[in-house]
Amino acid sequence: MDILSAYNLSKFYSKNKGLFNKQSINLRAVNNININLKSKESLGIVGESGCGKSTLAKMLAGLVTPSSGEVKIEEKDINNYKKHELPNHIQYMFQDPISSLNPRKTIYQSLAAPLKYLRKLDEKEIEKEIKTIIKEVNLKEEFLNRFPHEFSGGQAQRIGIARVLLSKAKIIILDEPVSALDVSIQSQILNLLNDLQKKFELSYIVISHDLAVIEAICDRVMVMYFGDIVEKSDAKELFQKPYHPYTNLLLKSVPKINQKMEIKNLFETELPDPINPPKGCSFYTRCENKTEKCKDSNPTETINDNRKYKCFFPNI
Amino acid sequence: MNYFIQRLLSAIPVLLGITIIVFFIISLIPGDPATAILGSYATPENVKLLNEQLGLDKGLIQRYFIWLGNLVQGDLGRSFALNRPVLDEILERFNATLILSGTAFILCSVVGVLIGTISAFKQYTITDKIITFTVLTGISLPSFFLGMMMILLFAVNLQWLPVSGMYAIYGGGDFLDLIHHLIMPAIALALVATGVVARITRNSVLEILRQDYIRTARAKGVREGNVLFKHVLRIAIVTILPILGLQAGFVLSGSVFIEIVFQWPGVGRMLVDAILKRDILLVQGGVMFVAACYVLFNIAVDLLQRYLDPRIK
Amino acid sequence: MINFLKLISRNKLALFGGILLVIIFVVSFLSPLLPLKDPDVIKTSDRFLLPFSEGYLLGTDHLGRDLLSRLLWGTRLSLLVGISAALISATIGSILGTIAGFYGNKTDNVIMRIIDVLMAFPYILLALAIVAVLGPGLFNAMIAVALVNIPFFARNIRGVTVTIANKEFIDAARLSGMSNFKIIIYEIFPNILPVIVVTISTTVGWMILETAGLSFLGLGSQPPQADLGSMLGEGRSSLIVNPHTSYVPGAMIFLIVIGVNLFGDGIRDALDPRLSKGELVKPQPVTQIKLNKNVKNNSNSFLSVQNLTTAFEFDNKLHLASKDVSFDIKKGECLGLIGESGSGKSVTALSVTCLVASPPGVIVDGSVKFQGDDILKMNYEQIRELRGNKISYIFQDPLSTLHPLIKIGKQLEEAFIEHNHQKNKEATFKGKELLKLVQIPNIENVWNSYPHELSGGMRQRISIAMALTNDPELIIADEPTTALDVTVQAQILLLLDTLRKERGLSVLFISHDFGVVSQICDRVIVMYGGQIVEEGKTENIMSKPRHPYTSQLMKCVPHIGFGKRELPTISGSPPSITYKKEIGCSFSSRCLIKKDNCLNEDIKIVQKGDSEVRCLYPHE
């Protein structure tokens, strides 16, 4: 059974052309995406800036309303949950750990909110829960009375994790969980996330632009390009043998220690125009395997031994 | 060009909003215009007759549309106190207000930006301190009080400048005479706005100097003078423009006081008189006219802003 | 709160303003208790007495009333009215602004359109119209002034609310199950309160002036009651003969308003985070240089940096950002400088041509010898001649480092024109050649574009072209690919590598990413806590790190190709920049092999195999 699933999820941002011009411009952010997440699984969504991964994640958590499609959590449409119920099932951890804490509230006050409003605990229980959880994320109790600006990025991210855990939600969306942190801190947080997942039987959706981060904590990966999922598969297989030329390009572009990149000097690195999306494959202009066919028609999803991809000429 | 037309069109709802506010607020003014015109000894029949003549016997909404219809055709009605068309009176008076406020506005923009920039560039020097102190004094002085003190000093004691009016009563009327009369009121009117502009300019120049692109310019070896004129000021002007738009409103407002203190024959003085005399049509017309001009002015500022800052879309 | 008062009292002008206000407040509010004459008693025999007349300290007005008494009573009235008006408009305006900013969409549209219409009136017109409706009178004047200022508050507060409502902690609060109402009260309000206070403190002076103005016009307080404005209005009729009836109330208005303004500025400064961070201080074109000792530098290298120490000065204390940094770069060599945030790598890079913003930056020690001359001993003009000419920079985020309002072409030409005193024509030709070199398509189009119209990759190509303008000999690239997507980063690295090899450029390349450095650098320096901890050839450092920090860091950075796993970690976090003098190894608290004597004394750099390393127990 899927703990979370989404069907045909799309988001268009529309803007009127002018005050007296009723015609509107549609900006494509997320286009017709299907997702399923199993219990205790972690699913990675990887893609570059502007590919729509954050919009997708926010739609799943109910923070952004989709233009079309539906999201189900534990087989129930999220629109059928009461407003204060949904956060009991799905939580979102934000990219910038400092700005996700109110600068004028102490850590204790920030952490008490989900207990008070979601779980309706009394003062005594709240204090007990907070003291337990703060140990769980390896922070000292004396931090509780401090304000966010007194913390480093890594500490703030631990506080963010504590806040999410307090809601008792089983599904957690991690939006670039370590990209704001120093390199020596990243692995601490990634390990903590892995441990907590086992301990509390959590399901993760991890959003990142960093393939190495995704690989370190995810079981399955989806690759997004221009609002679309171009490839999904088990993490291991994907990193060993990418099928889609875009996944391949991403992997090749990561600079590795003591190993020169094998990259051709291609100028084209731009995304297509989201107002006038191309008729054919959106990766066409940058693709190594392209033919005339790719220019004119958009590939649909192909399933091939557990691998799913949208490409006419994959690297098989 | 397309945007220009769009922007002009977008002013229509604002202008309509203004007409609604102007018309209905002023219709709320207590008292009966007919009684005010005819005096308190008027017979009820005469009052009724006059009310019909003025169209005051009709419903409020109906009167609004009649008034709006006339307004669009440029007919603002007749002032009963002056017994002449409102528009003629306003146009004559507005000329004087425009000269005064326009001069003050240019003065405050140019001087304000100039001394604000100097003060930022010479931060913590004696020049900066003198400017900061002067500016602070300037924005703390009521313009009407400043005007009165200037009259006392420059007109009465030193006798350098005329006490009041726009032209000398005998033998004046030329351009020099106008300038002679304009100096004091324009300065008194501009002072507060100059202070405000200078302070905002100083802060925004200091903030801009910390931006990464200024460091880039310095890393390119650009001379400090060019950093100031080509890099800093270009951004500063864009940030200050909206403030200048607001200041135009303050200058227009201040002109009411200055016109009274200096007996300047402008719209502001006319409006205060009209309110005290309950000359409703004149008040309506005057407020409407000045507000419309101000809206148009702000559109111009907006367009200029858009021209100078290509990032706005 | 105590901190806040301390901050204000440190500002002498604000303190003066505050004291002035307190005196005026106390005296005027005590006026019913003071042994004053009745302010409204007319005594025509004592008309227009001058100040310091017997029995009348400030003289009398045209009806022979005591000016001192009238002044104090009037002051009380003016203050009361001005402050009430400010509070009323702040309350209503803030509520409207918060609602509009928080709910957005239609609510916002409706409220803001009305505000727009109200703001389309010069304020006095609206105030006059309101007084005309309500009739003259002080209370009505106060209502008019309050109403007129509501749009101003609403607009200000709306702006701030929109910024805060888009912050992530608001979403976090929503996910904590808080209702919109609770979010406004508990999350938004505490954050906009300082803005409200600042706006009140900077506008209350205005409101006092505005009410005084209405009274001056005869539309405010009605005789015999007088506030300062109407006293001034009455005084005007006898201005020329008896000016004291004008300047007494006028001076009082001035004192009140200047007091309010000084104190208000103090509040603003104390609450404005930009000021405490020193963001409103003009940065000098060259970093302040205060060398403590003369560093000997006999190196004949192309670039030789010796004992470079740069600090930030806060509260008269020097916080050392880089300590005793020494390195050489040979002609045509690419040297990588690698480290985490706070390691001192960027400060070192900027110090080379004294570009560290100052204040707070100070170069306290060292020598930077470039082709034989010490840059730290040059004057501004000599340094300026080097910058963008022989030494040029590429910065991290090309959106914030390119001027947003100048066309690409003009920005490209600038360095050429500044250094060659040549005509625009030649600069244009050169600029377009450079765009070709960095493989920009549609050169004519790009030439006339603004930075925001281009993609991140394009902008960074432009920055590279700009750095190449005067055929520099040294390029300092400060994290040039960090802000870019990985596929774009690959392209930019390739371009940089090709260009430097073709042109024999020396490059100082700053990065936090071992992978990136591995692609482009010949030699690498690792920095930690402001110091160099290891230096050597790239392949040596990468395959055989000697310093425990380098080896631990390389292990714990996630690399591709190892699957889901438990990652090795470094405990703790990197040290922050401080003014405290610390002895010994700064990494010891996180080090896996530290021994007792690591903290006994400062550790020197020693040769170990092919690398140099600052460690007592380097890896074999």
Side-chain angles (χ1 to χ4, degrees):
Chain A
M1 188 194 90
D2 292 333
I3 190 165
L4 177 145
S5 50
Y7 306 101
N8 303 327
L9 210 53
S10 296
K11 180 73 189 177
F12 291 89
Y13 289 100
S14 58
K15 207 174 101 187
N16 279 346
K17 272 186 175 164
L19 199 67
F20 300 97
N21 196 340
K22 278 280 175 280
Q23 217 181 352
S24 63
I25 303 167
N26 273 329
L27 212 121
R28 178 169 122 172
V30 170
N31 189 27
N32 220 6
I33 281 182
N34 295 311
I35 286 186
N36 64 307
L37 177 73
K38 292 189 205 55
S39 181
K40 289 180 262 177
E41 178 191 43
S42 48
L43 169 67
I45 300 177
V46 71
E48 295 179 282
S49 54
C51 74
K53 55 188 190 298
S54 279
T55 310
L56 173 62
K58 288 194 170 150
M59 284 195 285
L60 296 178
L63 290 171
V64 167
T65 320
S67 306
S68 65
E70 57 175 343
V71 179
K72 282 184 175 173
I73 286 173
E74 286 159 8
E75 307 279 282
K76 187 172 160 191
D77 193 302
I78 58 168
N79 294 320
N80 295 336
Y81 283 94
K82 290 201 186 88
K83 215 174 176 186
H84 62 274
E85 269 177 6
L86 192 60
N88 281 319
H89 298 271
I90 187 163
Q91 280 287 333
Y92 195 98
M93 209 177 85
F94 297 93
Q95 175 170 3
D96 182 349
I98 303 276
S99 84
S100 60
L101 294 168
N102 188 337
R104 294 187 184 271
K105 280 169 115 179
T106 63
I107 301 312
Y108 187 89
Q109 288 170 318
S110 286
L111 289 180
L115 298 171
K116 195 161 153 193
Y117 299 108
L118 281 180
R119 293 173 54 202
K120 320 268 183 213
L121 302 183
D122 63 34
E123 279 302 322
K124 229 177 183 173
E125 291 168 306
I126 288 178
E127 195 179 331
K128 207 179 116 210
E129 286 262 347
I130 289 181
K131 283 186 174 163
T132 322
I133 207 76
I134 206 82
K135 275 189 210 101
E136 211 60 71
V137 295
N138 299 327
L139 287 175
K140 292 176 200 146
E141 232 176 72
E142 69 218 48
F143 286 181
L144 288 172
N145 291 321
R146 297 196 190 156
F147 287 91
H149 66 89
E150 297 173 62
F151 292 95
S152 69
Q155 289 166 333
Q157 197 62 298
R158 286 169 195 271
I159 296 165
I161 295 173
R163 185 182 56 76
V164 163
L165 290 176
L166 286 174
S167 69
K168 292 277 180 202
K170 287 292 174 203
I171 311 169
I172 296 176
I173 295 177
L174 306 164
D175 188 353
E176 301 275 5
V178 296
S179 71
L181 307 179
D182 255 324
V183 278
S184 72
I185 307 297
Q186 293 190 358
S187 55
Q188 295 172 6
I189 298 292
L190 291 176
N191 283 346
L192 177 68
L193 287 171
N194 265 338
D195 295 345
L196 293 171
Q197 181 175 32
K198 277 179 221 135
K199 189 163 180 182
F200 296 105
E201 308 194 320
L202 303 171
S203 311
Y204 286 156
I205 292 180
V206 187
I207 315 283
S208 182
H209 69 279
D210 189 335
L211 291 149
V213 167
I214 293 280
E215 196 196 16
I217 56 172
C218 292
D219 306 306
R220 270 194 312 138
V221 183
M222 308 201 304
V223 181
M224 265 185 100
Y225 186 74
F226 191 59
D228 212 343
I229 289 178
V230 295
E231 179 163 9
K232 43 180 141 175
S233 113
D234 269 0
K236 219 171 165 185
E237 290 172 30
L238 185 106
F239 283 99
Q240 265 165 16
K241 189 166 170 50
Y243 278 18
H244 197 283
Y246 176 62
T247 317
N248 190 34
L249 176 69
L250 270 182
L251 276 168
K252 272 204 304 185
S253 302
V254 178
K256 295 167 197 79
I257 291 176
N258 269 351
Q259 191 186 328
K260 289 276 174 206
M261 263 186 284
E262 326 141 24
I263 282 279
K264 278 189 217 140
N265 194 358
L266 292 167
F267 172 72
E268 196 63 62
T269 52
E270 318 277 304
L271 290 171
D273 181 3
I275 295 166
N276 294 308
K279 186 168 60 160
C281 176
S282 49
F283 189 59
Y284 173 76
T285 48
R286 302 170 65 180
C287 186
E288 290 182 314
N289 305 353
K290 68 183 163 203
T291 65
E292 275 306 301
K293 186 183 176 189
C294 311
K295 192 177 177 181
D296 298 327
S297 53
N298 204 0
T300 48
E301 192 170 79
T302 314
I303 305 176
N304 189 348
D305 326 318
N306 273 330
R307 304 286 298 257
K308 294 177 185 170
Y309 50 85
K310 286 186 183 169
C311 183
F312 294 123
F313 307 101
N315 297 336
I316 298 179
Chain B
M1 199 55 214
N2 206 344
Y3 179 78
F4 179 74
I5 293 164
Q6 240 184 53
R7 189 67 186 79
L8 278 182
L9 288 176
S10 75
I12 292 175
V14 176
L15 286 172
L16 268 178
I18 292 177
T19 60
I20 293 171
I21 291 181
V22 168
F23 183 83
F24 289 100
I25 284 192
I26 295 190
S27 304
L28 288 175
I29 293 181
D32 182 1
T35 323
I37 296 170
L38 297 171
S40 43
Y41 300 111
T43 58
E45 292 80 44
N46 284 345
V47 170
K48 192 166 170 258
L49 198 69
L50 190 65
N51 271 340
E52 271 164 30
Q53 273 174 14
L54 294 171
L56 291 173
D57 54 337
K58 298 192 178 74
L60 199 61
I61 308 279
Q62 206 181 350
R63 261 159 53 203
Y64 169 70
F65 282 108
I66 294 171
W67 179 71
L68 190 64
N70 291 338
L71 182 74
V72 174
Q73 293 163 30
D75 176 11
L76 295 172
R78 275 182 91 81
S79 152
F80 67 80
L82 303 166
N83 199 19
R84 64 182 297 204
V86 165
L87 190 66
D88 292 0
E89 174 74 9
I90 291 174
L91 285 178
E92 201 179 293
R93 295 286 199 132
F94 189 68
N95 190 30
T97 297
L98 199 63
I99 291 174
L100 175 62
S101 307
T103 314
F105 178 71
I106 292 169
L107 213 61
C108 86
S109 315
V110 174
V111 178
V113 170
L114 196 73
I115 64 172
T117 312
I118 294 175
S119 164
F121 239 64
K122 307 238 166 202
Q123 198 187 19
Y124 300 140
T125 62
I126 186 79
T127 321
D128 177 32
K129 280 177 186 154
I130 291 173
I131 290 176
T132 309
F133 180 76
T134 319
V135 159
L136 195 78
T137 315
I139 60 172
S140 306
L141 271 172
S143 60
F144 41 93
F145 177 58
L146 178 72
M148 284 159 66
M149 293 299 113
M150 283 172 92
I151 291 178
L152 215 51
L153 180 64
F154 297 110
V156 177
N157 289 339
L158 297 172
Q159 305 213 332
W160 289 350
L161 293 165
V163 175
S164 63
M166 192 166 163
Y167 292 105
I169 299 165
Y170 303 107
D174 56 352
F175 183 67
L176 272 178
D177 185 38
L178 174 65
I179 298 291
H180 202 55
H181 281 80
L182 188 60
I183 293 174
M184 277 202 299
I187 291 178
L189 182 53
L191 194 74
V192 176
T194 310
V196 175
V197 173
R199 295 185 113 191
I200 292 170
T201 307
R202 179 176 185 273
N203 276 358
S204 85
V205 165
L206 286 175
E207 212 166 311
I208 292 161
L209 278 168
R210 288 265 152 187
Q211 299 298 312
D212 285 349
Y213 47 81
I214 299 301
R215 186 186 61 190
T216 308
R218 284 172 165 172
K220 284 200 284 189
V222 177
R223 287 172 179 79
E224 278 298 290
N226 285 343
V227 170
L228 176 62
F229 285 109
K230 289 190 185 160
H231 293 252
V232 176
L233 271 188
R234 197 173 292 215
I235 299 265
I237 284 171
V238 169
T239 43
I240 293 159
L241 257 183
I243 307 290
L244 291 183
L246 273 180
Q247 289 313 308
F250 284 114
V251 167
L252 266 178
S253 297
S255 74
V256 172
F257 301 104
I258 296 297
E259 282 174 14
I260 286 174
V261 171
F262 288 93
Q263 309 273 312
W264 192 267
V267 178
R269 232 176 95 201
M270 176 198 86
L271 276 177
V272 176
D273 284 348
I275 286 176
L276 292 173
K277 285 183 190 146
R278 301 202 177 288
D279 191 346
I280 290 188
L281 286 178
L282 191 56
V283 177
Q284 255 171 6
V287 172
M288 190 61 224
F289 187 85
V290 177
C293 289
Y294 183 52
V295 170
L296 290 179
F297 177 80
N298 269 316
I299 290 176
V301 171
D302 232 44
L303 290 171
L304 185 63
Q305 170 92 354
R306 197 185 152 83
Y307 171 75
L308 291 175
D309 188 348
R311 287 171 301 179
I312 303 173
K313 269 206 176 142
Chain C
M1 192 62 201
I2 294 166
N3 255 339
F4 174 73
L5 287 178
K6 245 188 222 164
L7 267 172
I8 290 189
S9 61
R10 204 187 298 168
N11 182 338
K12 278 181 203 136
L13 282 174
L15 192 64
F16 172 74
I19 293 172
L20 188 65
L21 277 186
V22 170
I23 294 174
I24 295 174
F25 262 89
V26 170
V27 175
S28 65
F29 279 83
L30 288 180
S31 49
L33 304 174
L34 296 176
L36 291 169
K37 296 199 171 62
D38 187 320
D40 298 332
V41 167
I42 298 172
K43 197 172 175 194
T44 36
S45 57
D46 288 346
R47 294 176 69 214
F48 291 129
L49 288 181
L50 290 175
F52 306 112
S53 310
E54 204 190 327
Y56 300 100
L57 191 60
L58 291 179
T60 58
D61 69 359
H62 61 293
L63 295 175
R65 296 174 293 196
D66 179 34
L67 268 180
L68 176 66
S69 164
R70 284 182 75 73
L71 182 75
L72 291 181
W73 282 89
T75 304
R76 197 178 113 157
L77 211 53
S78 284
L79 282 174
L80 218 57
V81 170
I83 292 170
S84 316
L87 291 179
I88 293 174
S89 61
T91 312
I92 301 178
S94 303
I95 292 174
L96 285 176
T98 314
I99 291 175
F102 182 75
Y103 287 97
N105 296 334
K106 288 216 175 91
T107 321
D108 185 28
N109 245 318
V110 170
I111 294 180
M112 290 324 284
R113 286 298 84 77
I114 295 173
I115 299 285
D116 276 351
V117 171
L118 290 178
M119 283 195 109
F121 290 94
Y123 81 90
I124 190 78
L125 290 188
L126 211 52
L128 287 179
I130 294 169
V131 173
V133 171
L134 300 176
L138 193 55
F139 183 75
N140 295 342
M142 179 195 79
I143 298 289
V145 170
L147 288 178
V148 165
N149 281 293
I150 287 175
F152 177 74
F153 271 95
R155 200 183 246 200
N156 258 3
I157 299 303
R158 176 193 170 268
V160 188
T161 309
V162 168
T163 324
I164 290 169
N166 284 325
K167 287 258 167 75
E168 292 180 331
F169 68 82
I170 299 300
D171 272 337
R174 219 166 253 142
L175 288 170
S176 300
M178 291 170 82
S179 61
N180 280 339
F181 180 72
K182 288 209 166 85
I183 289 178
I184 291 180
I185 301 292
Y186 295 117
E187 305 284 332
I188 300 222
F189 184 69
N191 283 293
I192 56 173
L193 187 62
V195 184
I196 297 177
V197 172
V198 168
T199 320
I200 292 179
S201 66
T202 46
T203 48
V204 68
W206 250 112
M207 303 216 195
I208 293 172
L209 281 184
E210 282 169 13
T211 19
L214 287 177
S215 290
F216 176 77
L217 296 177
L219 301 169
S221 73
Q222 300 298 310
Q225 183 199 45
D227 72 344
L228 295 172
S230 59
M231 282 176 74
L232 197 54
E234 284 165 6
R236 194 173 81 86
S237 48
S238 49
L239 172 69
I240 292 170
V241 192
N242 287 294
H244 71 275
T245 52
S246 298
Y247 62 65
V248 166
M252 182 53 105
I253 297 180
F254 172 68
L255 284 181
I256 293 175
V257 178
I258 203 165
V260 169
N261 283 341
L262 285 172
F263 190 63
D265 285 357
I267 293 181
R268 190 198 57 198
D269 293 357
L271 289 178
D272 191 339
R274 288 175 311 177
L275 284 151
S276 50
K277 284 189 209 146
E279 277 168 33
L280 284 184
V281 183
K282 185 200 168 197
Q284 301 303 315
V286 170
T287 315
Q288 194 186 0
I289 301 173
K290 276 198 273 188
L291 300 184
N292 289 326
K293 52 180 185 278
N294 213 356
V295 173
K296 260 190 211 156
N297 189 347
N298 300 324
S299 168
N300 291 320
S301 265
F302 172 70
L303 175 81
S304 165
V305 173
Q306 284 294 322
N307 308 93
L308 185 63
T309 305
T310 306
F312 295 117
E313 190 170 355
F314 297 113
D315 298 332
N316 288 323
K317 290 190 189 93
L318 289 175
H319 297 60
L320 297 187
S322 70
K323 303 166 201 165
D324 263 337
V325 174
S326 305
F327 59 85
D328 285 358
I329 297 182
K330 291 191 267 300
K331 188 107 192 83
E333 185 186 39
C334 178
L335 175 68
L337 208 54
I338 201 166
E340 297 176 84
S341 57
S343 65
K345 58 189 192 304
S346 285
V347 170
T348 304
L350 291 174
S351 297
V352 171
T353 65
C354 306
L355 264 181
V356 181
S358 176
V362 192
I363 296 177
V364 284
D365 253 320
S367 139
V368 178
K369 231 175 184 184
F370 178 69
Q371 296 182 326
D373 299 314
D374 194 341
I375 297 179
L376 300 188
K377 300 219 166 82
M378 290 181 181
N379 62 25
Y380 164 64
E381 191 53 32
Q382 287 168 311
I383 293 178
R384 191 191 66 74
E385 273 299 330
L386 278 182
R387 287 179 184 171
N389 195 7
K390 287 189 167 165
I391 304 178
S392 59
Y393 280 86
I394 303 167
F395 296 108
Q396 179 173 347
D397 177 7
L399 184 58
S400 66
T401 51
L402 291 175
H403 196 290
L405 302 186
I406 301 180
K407 287 182 179 168
I408 297 295
K410 286 267 168 273
Q411 298 198 50
L412 265 170
E413 290 173 348
E414 200 174 17
F416 189 79
I417 296 171
E418 286 282 346
H419 290 290
N420 296 291
H421 314 283
Q422 293 230 13
K423 299 258 167 52
N424 285 352
K425 223 171 160 186
E426 214 150 327
T428 310
F429 178 76
K430 176 95 187 174
K432 289 184 179 167
E433 284 293 298
L434 287 167
L435 287 187
K436 234 179 267 169
L437 189 71
V438 295
Q439 298 156 9
I440 297 262
N442 302 326
I443 289 182
E444 289 304 321
N445 259 340
V446 170
W447 190 262
N448 288 313
S449 306
Y450 292 96
H452 71 275
E453 295 167 333
L454 306 174
S455 69
M458 287 267 253
R459 282 194 290 258
Q460 200 56 301
R461 280 170 197 266
I462 308 270
S463 302
I464 294 172
M466 224 158 77
L468 293 172
T469 306
N470 291 311
D471 299 309
E473 295 176 52
L474 173 66
I475 287 190
I476 299 176
D478 187 1
E479 303 244 20
T481 61
T482 305
L484 306 175
D485 273 322
V486 59
T487 54
V488 182
Q489 163 171 284
Q491 300 293 329
I492 296 290
L493 284 176
L494 192 65
L495 175 70
L496 267 175
D497 201 38
T498 324
L499 284 173
R500 81 164 180 102
K501 282 179 180 150
E502 277 174 9
R503 310 186 140 222
L505 287 168
S506 306
V507 179
L508 179 59
F509 191 95
I510 288 80
S511 179
H512 67 277
D513 187 330
F514 282 98
V516 168
V517 166
S518 197
Q519 302 305 312
I520 189 166
C521 297
D522 304 312
R523 212 150 47 86
V524 176
I525 286 176
V526 182
M527 287 188 78
Y528 186 81
Q531 282 182 316
I532 294 180
V533 294
E534 184 163 8
E535 176 177 353
K537 284 216 170 96
T538 308
E539 57 274 21
N540 292 340
I541 301 249
M542 298 294 167
S543 51
K544 217 172 181 198
R546 305 277 180 177
H547 196 283
Y549 171 63
T550 320
S551 64
Q552 279 177 250
L553 186 63
M554 279 170 71
K555 274 192 210 120
C556 81
V557 175
H559 300 299
I560 285 189
F562 298 93
K564 186 173 175 176
R565 65 201 184 277
E566 174 91 12
L567 298 158
T569 57
I570 304 182
S571 62
S573 34
S576 47
I577 298 170
T578 148
Y579 60 92
K580 287 177 201 136
K581 178 107 181 94
E582 275 152 6
I583 291 174
C585 175
S586 52
F587 184 63
S588 59
S589 63
R590 308 172 76 188
C591 185
L592 293 176
I593 57 165
K594 70 148 184 241
K595 301 225 162 58
D596 290 342
N597 58 346
C598 288
L599 284 174
N600 285 356
E601 54 181 356
D602 284 338
I603 294 152
K604 293 207 168 55
I605 283 218
V606 291
Q607 188 79 29
K608 182 79 192 173
D610 296 319
S611 312
E612 288 176 44
V613 57
R614 192 187 294 275
C615 181
L616 296 177
Y617 308 101
H619 301 308
E620 283 305 317

